[in-house]
Amino acid sequence: MTDPIRLDKRLTSLIGCSRGDAQRYIEGGWVTVDGNVVEQPQTLVTDETIVLRENAEATRAETVSMLLHKPAGMRADELCALVTPDSRSELDATGVTLLQRHFHALQLVMPLADEDSGLVVVSQDGRIVSHLKDRGATLEQEYLVEVSGELAPYGMKRLAHGLSFRNWPLPPCKVSWQNETRLRFAIKPVQPGQLRDMCSQVGLDVISVRRLRIGRVAMGKLAPGQWRYLAPDERF
């Protein structure tokens, strides 16, 4: 049994890298201790097996963003807590390695009304947060709205252009029937409660509202309460 030593110092002696590079390897999730990824350079080790994974890069650990399928009925302040290692979708094909540091300092962006469901963004990347806060209103969003009732005359035409919300005229949008009870909207900007109010103005009662897409990024087949990483090549 050897004396305990910091993991970054042990890695430095094993592979001959600098202490700084060792820390970056560890924080980036490239180092395993007895087969388990360890992300803290200060972790004490003794005679465990230390392995640097292939293709390791001694770069600063990147911040990440996640796409979450918000369940209906959840408040905005509850959503970041849904993003845990256990709730990552099996459909996540981004290839991003899950690290514990990815669940720190998360911010919710592009929130939805409590009663609505669908795509929201949870991020620790300041660039993504700033972009969506500054430009979110200019991005087209796609929604699926389940309705009941009888559509008023010229209702589809009025939904596309001619309605107002909170005494402000609304810009044109694209709207079509997906089936007998579901409307698909492609719209920008959209405020909480706006789609429900628009449908009410043309005689329809809204059963549910689900956001499918923000800009060029779609939610896909994520189940409610599950998330996936935003892929490095995805852009809103």
Side-chain angles (χ1 to χ4, degrees):
M1 179 74 69
T2 59
D3 293 333
I5 187 174
R6 283 177 55 115
L7 177 58
D8 55 354
K9 191 173 181 180
R10 175 59 59 82
L11 185 63
T12 296
S13 66
L14 284 174
I15 66 173
C17 66
S18 69
R19 187 81 168 268
D21 280 352
Q23 292 173 354
R24 285 184 284 272
Y25 283 134
I26 296 165
E27 291 172 349
W30 297 104
V31 177
T32 63
V33 178
D34 281 349
N36 299 311
V37 174
V38 175
E39 301 171 43
Q40 295 77 32
Q42 69 274 20
T43 299
L44 295 179
V45 294
T46 52
D47 54 0
E48 295 92 342
T49 300
I50 313 299
V51 175
L52 179 66
R53 293 163 51 197
E54 291 185 9
N55 303 318
E57 297 180 1
T59 56
R60 186 173 181 176
E62 293 290 333
T63 52
V64 296
S65 300
M66 292 88 155
L67 308 177
L68 170 68
H69 186 163
K70 173 195 177 297
M74 292 199 70
R75 303 191 313 270
D77 61 3
E78 300 175 305
L79 295 181
C80 287
L82 283 182
V83 181
T84 67
D86 292 338
S87 59
R88 182 184 187 182
S89 172
E90 294 181 355
L91 302 176
D92 190 339
T94 58
V96 178
T97 300
L98 187 149
L99 301 175
Q100 290 300 321
R101 65 177 55 255
H102 292 165
F103 304 96
H104 301 158
L106 293 174
Q107 298 184 62
L108 174 69
V109 205
M110 302 293 289
L112 289 166
D114 293 353
E115 63 269 27
D116 297 344
S117 67
L119 177 62
V120 296
V121 181
V122 176
S123 181
Q124 56 179 202
D125 187 335
R127 297 164 299 178
I128 294 292
V129 171
S130 295
H131 176 71
L132 292 179
K133 286 183 176 179
D134 295 342
R135 299 280 312 279
T138 69
L139 298 175
E140 184 179 81
Q141 300 176 45
E142 187 176 351
Y143 287 83
L144 198 61
V145 181
E146 187 171 359
V147 296
S148 64
E150 186 172 347
L151 184 67
Y154 306 104
M156 290 296 285
K157 184 176 180 180
R158 293 177 62 206
L159 283 172
H161 191 207
L163 299 179
S164 61
F165 180 63
R166 296 175 181 168
N167 298 320
W168 287 93
L170 295 171
C173 69
K174 291 175 278 188
V175 58
S176 60
W177 286 106
Q178 187 192 47
N179 58 33
E180 293 181 352
T181 61
R182 289 180 177 175
L183 288 167
R184 186 179 293 265
F185 285 83
I187 187 169
K188 62 179 180 179
V190 59
Q191 304 174 57
Q194 177 182 323
L195 293 176
R196 293 175 182 271
D197 185 78
M198 291 172 65
C199 291
S200 175
Q201 292 183 56
V202 296
L204 298 175
D205 296 318
V206 172
I207 298 170
S208 65
V209 175
R210 177 157 50 101
R211 182 161 60 194
L212 305 178
R213 175 174 58 84
I214 299 171
R216 292 172 290 180
V217 175
M219 180 173 67
K221 296 182 178 181
L222 287 176
Q226 294 194 334
W227 62 272
R228 70 169 177 86
Y229 285 107
L230 179 71
D233 60 350
E234 286 185 292
R235 299 290 183 271
F236 289 99

